[in-house]
Amino acid sequence: MEMGNNTNLDTGNYGDTELDIEWVNNLAWYGKAVRSDGFICEVHPGELSSYGIWEKVPFNKVRLHIWQYPLPNLELVILFVFVLWQVFDILFKKLGLLIPKFASMMLAGLLLNVLLTVSGDKSIIQEILFPENRIDIPGCLGSFGFMMFWFLNGVKMDVKTIFKAEAHARLTGVAAAALPITVGLLLYKYKSLENRPLKAIEYNTLLLMESLTSFSEIARLLLDLGMNHSSVGQVALSTSVVSNTVGLMFWLVIVPLGFQSLVQGVGLLLQMFFFIVIVFAVVRPIMFKVIIRKREGRPIEDKYIYVILVMVFLSCMYWDGLEQFPALGAFILGLSIPNEHPIGSALVERLESFNFGIVLPLFMSASMLRSDIRVWKDILTFYSSNDKKFAVASLVFLIFLLKLSVSMIVPYLFKMPLKDSIILSLIMSHKGIIELSFYLFSYGLELLDRDTFSILVLSILLNSLFLPMAIRFLYDPSKRFMCYQKRSLASMKITGALKTLVCIHRPDHISSMINLLEACYQSDKSPLTCYVLHLVELQGQEVPTLIAHKVQKLGAGTGAKYSENVILSFENFHRYVRGSIFIDTFTCITNSHHMQDDICWLALDKAVTFIILPFHRTWSLDRTSIVSDSEMIRFLNSNVLKQAPCSVGILVERHLVNKNQESQQNLKVCVIFVGGEDDMEALAFAKRMARQESVTLTVLCLLAAKKSKKATGWDQMLDTVKLRVRELVRSNDPGNLKEESSTTYLEEEIVDGADTSMLLRSIAFDYDLFIISRTCGQNHAATLGNESWCEFEELGVIGDFLASPDFPSKTSVLVVQQQRTIANN
């Protein structure tokens, strides 16, 4: 027990009996009691939770309510906050508003603040949110979450982005931070001392934080808006890193100058640099040694995670001892942690989801509960007789306009489109958790009063609600990959140069893609350009990375260690073919939910005609059992089919697609043709393969029963005419004698989907590769009755049947879809 004031406890003189009983009850139930004579006693540890029904029976009158115990109280607060912010987040999504998640957390805290104000001081809500005689455990846990948030932001931030940023991004980042600070300081010096409503420390705090652009806030905003892979988003990320660094340098200079003694200021600055040197000169090399000792692909042991967490706490304690922002120590420590596998990715994977979803909302709600919503009424109605309130609101608005203007003008002078410049300026003017946390810290140190803190919280809330709406209004993601040219196989000459984009996820995708490319490569007269994109899931950092290995040699960067097998395999393929084939390899390290953006962007930039994707299922070596089934790859394939700027193919490899030039056996390919643009695209790809000497092609045309001699619609009639015309072209063109001799055209009458299934089963072992369109048989008798049995929509009805485990043979399947997104000129 801890005792204060009267340290001599006289057990024989307790005074009034009722007061003694109340004192004992408070000590027993609350863990703390104060007598009328000032005697204080505390019990450690106190009761964490109730004894349930056994407590209610004997102690019905003096017992505590369930929410008054520390553990149930913490659980109730977590539950209330979590449910409220999730409700707001889901509501915004249903309304089609892409509001950042932390704005929903702030609204949850605002709602609790309103309920607390309406219910009064003696309500149950007051007892739950602010229990008597208790430490604010939810607030302490929220502060822990806030500290971990800063640390993880440091881990995910790549300082090398500053050196990789383009000139306009660097200049915009410097100007967006330096201009508001410079103008603000000049205005403060110009104003006379008697007419300054804000103290110097208040003014400097507001000026610095409002001028700063936080990288983590911008990265979180772009992620919520789905813009982190767009061209504007990439520029915004680079610009925010530069602006964040410039603001941090200003802070390191301004804070020591706030001391009256120059010696104290210089001493503080030396202690800060001592910490930074220790972190980067000692801790970071140790982390790299740990990574080197780990075997490739092995996870990091838990003991290293625990040591890093201890260092996070020590860093915060060190900066708190300097009477500076404690979370800045955690942030700098995070910068020193390598943000790659296995350490950085493990920290983010284990801590971020729980921290951001459960713990951090407690901090956001606590911040909103400390604000005075009555001050908001005066500001929003432009009614305030207080010069200080008006000065704070005016300063915030002025800095916002300065940042907005300079972030728009500078990139526009560098030839960025005006609309993109406006979007970039809105992104750079965004405020969020970082600013709110610093203001709460300043409020706790009494550097800001409650009215000023409330106005700043209001500005952050309005910024986080309306700025994303304005950005979303100006930014149309549906037009990102809009193509103004026809990019399909059917629209190009059969001997024309083919540009393909091959996507690789795992090592077992390499051989299948190389075999398919080898089978469709014709001769030196028909050059093949192949862009190989190795997709690696982003872990431990915020900024996606695209590495071109023609520019960056093998072993010279982060992408080489991921893509070494891919690079070497395709280089060997290039040497083996020795023809007019060009191969360019890329590594894309990106978030799994946005990989389709990188694929479509590269396809658009390189004017690709055909994208080849691997199927999400992988079979064993004997092709009899499924060894992996990735929902992430399936989700990616579906999204690429929706927004690709060219034609797309999904390769389901269960049989080695190989020409077998050394053997006498030909590669037997079958195209299933019903009618439609996708079917013409599949036929065009197959005809390129048929020009190979070791490839035989069969075109199987499925016709509705009793209608084989007449067209069943304009599309089918047109397709039939095209097929007949191509037969005539082959017979009259001496250069196509090989294709004519190796191509067989068959027609089969089909009554319904059952007939189609029986026909395909009968020829299952006759071919090595089936080529089929995604929409083959759609609204046709060939799929009648089979539509409901389709498991994978991205393959189509017939393609799904050919790739199913029930199909008797293990023949590979290529599902083709023609270009969908073509813009009107």
Side-chain angles (χ1 to χ4, degrees):
M1 292 194 299
E2 296 183 2
M3 295 174 287
N5 291 344
N6 294 337
T7 56
N8 295 324
L9 178 62
D10 185 5
T11 57
N13 185 15
Y14 285 111
D16 187 73
T17 305
E18 293 184 1
L19 291 177
D20 289 341
I21 293 175
E22 182 181 358
W23 184 84
V24 173
N25 287 334
N26 289 339
L27 185 63
W29 295 105
Y30 292 100
K32 180 179 179 179
V34 181
R35 263 178 47 172
S36 58
D37 57 359
F39 185 88
I40 302 175
C41 187
E42 293 183 359
V43 177
H44 293 289
E47 296 291 340
L48 292 179
S49 58
S50 70
Y51 295 98
I53 190 173
W54 307 111
E55 171 187 307
K56 184 176 180 180
V57 175
F59 304 108
N60 188 38
K61 293 184 179 181
V62 297
R63 67 182 180 87
L64 294 180
H65 296 289
I66 183 66
W67 59 80
Q68 292 178 310
Y69 288 96
L71 183 58
N73 177 264
L74 175 63
E75 294 169 342
L76 283 174
V77 174
I78 291 176
L79 179 63
F80 287 163
V81 173
F82 179 79
V83 170
L84 287 177
W85 89 262
Q86 285 290 329
V87 167
F88 280 113
D89 188 53
I90 294 173
L91 179 62
F92 287 139
K93 290 180 180 178
K94 293 296 183 181
L95 295 175
L97 302 176
L98 295 179
I99 304 298
K101 289 182 172 57
F102 80 87
S104 301
M105 300 175 190
M106 293 183 69
L107 289 176
L110 175 61
L111 182 58
L112 290 176
N113 194 333
V114 172
L115 293 175
L116 190 63
T117 304
V118 173
S119 60
D121 296 337
K122 300 298 183 181
S123 63
I124 296 178
I125 297 178
Q126 173 74 26
E127 292 184 2
I128 294 175
L129 298 178
F130 299 101
E132 295 181 2
N133 300 327
R134 295 291 184 189
I135 300 174
D136 186 11
I137 298 178
C140 293
L141 184 60
S143 299
F144 167 78
F146 149 74
M147 178 184 63
M148 294 306 303
F149 176 77
W150 274 75
F151 169 70
L152 293 175
N153 284 335
V155 172
K156 294 185 290 184
M157 182 174 174
D158 188 3
V159 183
K160 292 180 291 185
T161 308
I162 300 175
F163 307 102
K164 300 176 183 177
E166 298 180 0
H168 68 280
R170 295 180 186 175
L171 187 57
T172 304
V174 173
L179 181 65
I181 293 177
T182 304
V183 173
L185 292 176
L186 291 176
L187 288 176
Y188 191 75
K189 295 297 182 183
Y190 175 78
K191 206 172 184 63
S192 61
L193 186 62
E194 296 79 10
N195 297 326
R196 294 176 182 174
L198 293 174
K199 299 177 183 178
I201 186 65
E202 292 178 311
Y203 190 88
N204 290 337
T205 301
L206 267 64
L207 180 62
L208 181 63
M209 291 310 300
E210 291 298 321
S211 303
L212 179 68
T213 299
S214 172
F215 164 78
S216 59
E217 287 299 333
I218 301 302
R220 177 65 62 175
L221 173 67
L222 294 175
L223 183 63
D224 290 338
L225 295 178
M227 293 179 58
N228 53 339
H229 289 72
S230 64
S231 57
V232 180
Q234 294 291 322
V235 175
L237 286 172
S238 301
T239 306
S240 63
V241 172
V242 176
S243 181
N244 199 349
T245 305
V246 172
L248 185 59
M249 291 180 178
F250 268 106
W251 185 84
L252 290 175
V253 173
I254 291 176
V255 170
L257 294 179
F259 288 90
Q260 295 180 354
S261 173
L262 181 61
V263 176
Q264 290 181 341
V266 173
L268 176 62
L269 198 59
L270 290 176
Q271 292 178 79
M272 292 179 180
F273 278 110
F274 172 76
F275 176 83
I276 295 174
V277 169
I278 291 297
V279 162
F280 283 95
V282 178
V283 176
R284 187 173 178 84
I286 292 176
M287 293 294 115
F288 278 112
K289 288 184 179 180
V290 172
I291 294 175
I292 294 173
R293 289 179 58 187
K294 294 299 299 176
R295 303 175 74 179
E296 185 177 355
R298 296 290 298 274
I300 195 73
E301 287 95 340
D302 291 342
K303 61 182 179 181
Y304 296 109
I305 303 295
Y306 300 150
V307 171
I308 292 174
L309 291 178
V310 171
M311 288 193 295
V312 172
F313 286 107
L314 294 177
S315 301
C316 292
M317 292 174 62
Y318 180 85
W319 282 76
D320 185 61
L322 299 179
E323 297 183 353
Q324 299 303 313
F325 193 37
L328 196 57
F331 176 74
I332 296 175
L333 177 65
L335 289 176
S336 69
I337 303 295
N339 55 13
E340 303 167 2
H341 184 80
I343 296 181
S345 58
L347 288 169
V348 174
E349 182 180 354
R350 297 190 187 190
L351 300 176
E352 186 175 42
S353 296
F354 177 77
N355 185 68
F356 189 82
I358 302 295
V359 184
L360 189 63
L362 298 176
F363 173 79
M364 304 295 293
S365 299
S367 303
M368 298 301 295
L369 289 172
R370 285 170 171 78
S371 60
D372 187 359
I373 59 178
R374 292 171 295 185
V375 177
W376 295 8
K377 180 181 178 182
D378 298 339
I379 298 299
L380 294 175
T381 57
F382 299 98
Y383 174 78
S384 177
S385 58
N386 192 324
D387 292 339
K388 187 174 183 178
K389 296 179 183 178
F390 180 77
V392 172
S394 301
L395 180 61
V396 171
F397 186 67
L398 175 63
I399 297 176
F400 174 79
L401 291 180
L402 288 173
K403 287 181 66 69
L404 195 69
S405 302
V406 71
S407 301
M408 178 183 65
I409 294 174
V410 173
Y412 182 70
L413 294 177
F414 279 85
K415 309 301 182 182
M416 178 180 280
L418 179 60
K419 188 175 182 180
D420 291 349
S421 300
I422 296 174
I423 295 174
L424 178 62
S425 65
L426 292 172
I427 294 173
M428 293 297 294
S429 303
H430 176 66
K431 299 296 176 186
I433 301 177
I434 302 299
E435 292 78 14
L436 180 63
S437 61
F438 193 85
Y439 289 144
L440 183 62
F441 171 74
S442 302
Y443 175 62
L445 294 180
E446 299 183 355
L447 300 178
L448 301 175
D449 57 30
R450 191 180 183 190
D451 290 349
T452 302
F453 175 74
S454 302
I455 295 172
L456 295 173
V457 170
L458 174 63
S459 68
I460 295 174
L461 180 60
L462 295 178
N463 184 297
S464 61
L465 287 176
F466 293 106
L467 219 60
M469 294 184 189
I471 296 171
R472 188 63 175 177
F473 177 77
L474 295 172
Y475 176 75
D476 187 1
S478 62
K479 297 182 179 180
R480 287 178 296 173
F481 309 114
M482 193 67 69
C483 184
Y484 292 88
Q485 296 176 342
K486 188 73 174 177
R487 294 184 184 174
S488 62
L489 297 168
S491 62
M492 63 184 297
K493 294 182 180 180
I494 194 171
T495 57
L498 176 62
K499 289 186 176 182
T500 62
L501 174 61
V502 174
C503 299
I504 304 292
H505 292 277
R506 293 190 292 263
D508 49 5
H509 294 156
I510 298 175
S511 60
S512 60
M513 293 299 178
I514 289 178
N515 291 333
L516 182 62
L517 290 173
E518 185 181 358
C520 68
Y521 172 68
Q522 301 174 19
S523 64
D524 294 346
K525 298 180 180 179
S526 302
L528 173 65
T529 300
C530 177
Y531 299 102
V532 182
L533 182 62
H534 184 205
L535 296 161
V536 180
E537 187 174 358
L538 180 69
Q539 294 180 333
Q541 54 183 320
E542 292 278 9
V543 182
T545 305
L546 180 65
I547 303 170
H549 294 288
K550 285 290 183 182
V551 177
Q552 184 170 343
K553 299 300 181 181
L554 183 62
T558 57
K561 65 182 181 182
Y562 294 112
S563 307
E564 185 174 357
N565 291 337
V566 178
I567 298 170
L568 295 177
S569 298
F570 278 91
E571 284 182 353
N572 292 332
F573 168 61
H574 187 221
R575 288 193 294 266
Y576 170 74
V577 175
R578 292 183 180 177
S580 56
I581 181 171
F582 173 79
I583 295 179
D584 197 359
T585 309
F586 298 86
T587 297
C588 181
I589 307 173
T590 183
N591 188 285
S592 60
H593 296 290
H594 298 280
M595 284 182 177
Q596 67 273 5
D597 297 338
D598 295 278
I599 295 173
C600 295
W601 179 85
L602 188 60
L604 185 65
D605 182 65
K606 300 297 183 181
V608 168
T609 305
F610 193 51
I611 300 174
I612 306 177
L613 304 170
F615 191 51
H616 66 275
R617 280 184 174 177
T618 303
W619 278 263
S620 59
L621 292 176
D622 58 1
R623 314 295 173 180
T624 58
S625 60
I626 299 172
V627 295
S628 68
D629 192 344
S630 174
E631 285 298 321
M632 183 271 290
I633 298 179
R634 184 187 178 190
F635 175 79
L636 169 65
N637 292 346
S638 299
N639 287 332
V640 173
L641 289 171
K642 292 177 183 177
Q643 62 189 44
C646 59
S647 298
V648 182
I650 299 178
L651 177 61
V652 185
E653 195 207 30
R654 294 192 296 177
H655 180 276
L656 292 178
V657 181
N658 200 326
K659 293 189 303 181
N660 294 323
Q661 290 181 339
E662 299 178 357
S663 65
Q664 300 299 321
Q665 184 179 3
N666 288 344
L667 177 67
K668 292 173 288 185
V669 180
C670 177
V671 178
I672 302 175
F673 190 93
V674 174
E677 293 182 350
D678 285 354
D679 282 34
M680 297 304 301
E681 192 74 5
L683 181 61
F685 185 81
K687 285 166 66 64
R688 296 185 69 93
M689 297 181 65
R691 296 176 65 86
Q692 290 278 6
E693 295 183 357
S694 57
V695 175
T696 58
L697 173 64
T698 300
V699 179
L700 177 60
C701 185
L702 304 181
L703 301 175
K706 301 181 181 180
K707 295 184 180 180
S708 60
K709 302 302 181 182
K710 61 181 181 179
T712 59
W714 176 254
D715 288 338
Q716 184 174 347
M717 181 178 67
L718 184 62
D719 293 332
T720 304
V721 171
K722 287 182 178 179
L723 283 171
R724 299 305 181 190
V725 169
R726 280 166 172 73
E727 290 287 325
L728 293 174
V729 170
R730 287 203 307 269
S731 61
N732 294 331
D733 185 2
N736 290 335
L737 294 177
K738 159 64 186 65
E739 181 184 347
E740 179 184 6
S741 62
S742 63
T743 302
T744 305
Y745 179 77
L746 302 175
E747 287 186 357
E748 292 289 344
E749 294 186 355
I750 297 297
V751 176
D752 54 15
D755 269 9
T756 304
S757 301
M758 292 178 62
L759 174 63
L760 295 178
R761 286 178 180 274
S762 65
I763 61 173
F765 296 94
D766 297 340
Y767 302 100
D768 302 311
L769 174 67
F770 283 105
I771 301 179
I772 187 171
S773 75
R774 185 187 175 208
T775 58
C776 182
Q778 190 173 3
N779 300 323
H780 189 271
T783 58
L784 185 63
N786 287 354
E787 295 90 343
S788 59
W789 296 94
C790 181
E791 182 181 3
F792 303 120
E793 183 182 354
E794 63 272 18
L795 299 181
V797 178
I798 299 180
D800 178 78
F801 174 71
L802 293 173
S804 67
D806 297 331
F807 195 65
S809 74
K810 307 307 175 186
T811 306
S812 296
V813 182
L814 178 65
V815 180
V816 179
Q817 173 186 280
Q818 197 177 65
Q819 179 188 17
R820 292 284 192 264
T821 56
I822 306 176
N824 297 323
N825 292 319

